[in-house]
Amino acid sequence: MTKLTPIILLTISNIFMTFAWYGHLRHKQSALWLVVLVSWGIAFFEYCFQVPANRIGSYYYSAAQLKTIQEIITLAVFSVFSVLYLKEQFRWNYLVGFLFIILAAFFIFKKW
């Protein structure tokens, strides 16, 4: 295992998470109870990658660093998902906000 392993696992986890949390927005005609059950099913696979990612990652990163990595991956995955799957426009102010989050990551990972 390398320092890259938890990042790969977190990326896979976030793909499942994004579909579990937001995939149903294209199916608003479906019953809410049904999309909740389907989302839970998808979330199971998210946890199958997320829990090992954090366990393995804890050997290389602090908890704060792992959370920061996860948030940046979430934003990247969600940005692609919202444009390609939900057909939403990516706006300039989203990019600015994401850049501030990446700046926050700099401060978390910087050795002071």
Side-chain angles (χ1 to χ4, degrees):
M1 306 265 174
T2 69
K3 290 178 85 168
L4 190 58
T5 302
I7 295 170
I8 293 168
L9 292 173
L10 284 172
T11 301
I12 296 167
S13 166
N14 270 278
I15 292 168
F16 281 110
M17 178 197 71
T18 301
F19 274 97
W21 286 15
Y22 301 100
H24 61 88
L25 296 180
R26 279 192 41 189
H27 306 282
K28 292 180 183 178
Q29 73 285 358
S30 298
L32 188 55
W33 67 267
L34 179 60
V35 296
V36 168
L37 289 177
V38 170
S39 292
W40 279 352
I42 296 169
F44 169 78
F45 294 101
E46 182 237 332
Y47 274 82
C48 288
F49 289 96
Q50 182 267 338
V51 172
N54 285 326
R55 176 69 62 92
I56 294 165
S58 70
Y59 292 102
Y60 303 103
Y61 306 104
S62 70
Q65 289 173 328
L66 278 169
K67 183 61 178 172
T68 303
I69 292 167
Q70 184 268 326
E71 291 299 334
I72 291 171
I73 291 169
T74 296
L75 290 173
V77 168
F78 183 78
S79 295
V80 172
F81 175 85
S82 67
V83 170
L84 296 180
Y85 186 78
L86 296 178
K87 307 296 184 199
E88 294 184 353
Q89 183 179 3
F90 189 83
R91 299 197 167 120
W92 71 269
N93 55 318
Y94 301 168
L95 179 61
V96 171
F98 294 166
L99 290 174
F100 279 116
I101 292 170
I102 292 169
L103 184 61
F106 166 78
F107 285 102
I108 290 171
F109 280 89
K110 175 83 170 129
K111 303 280 186 209
W112 298 97

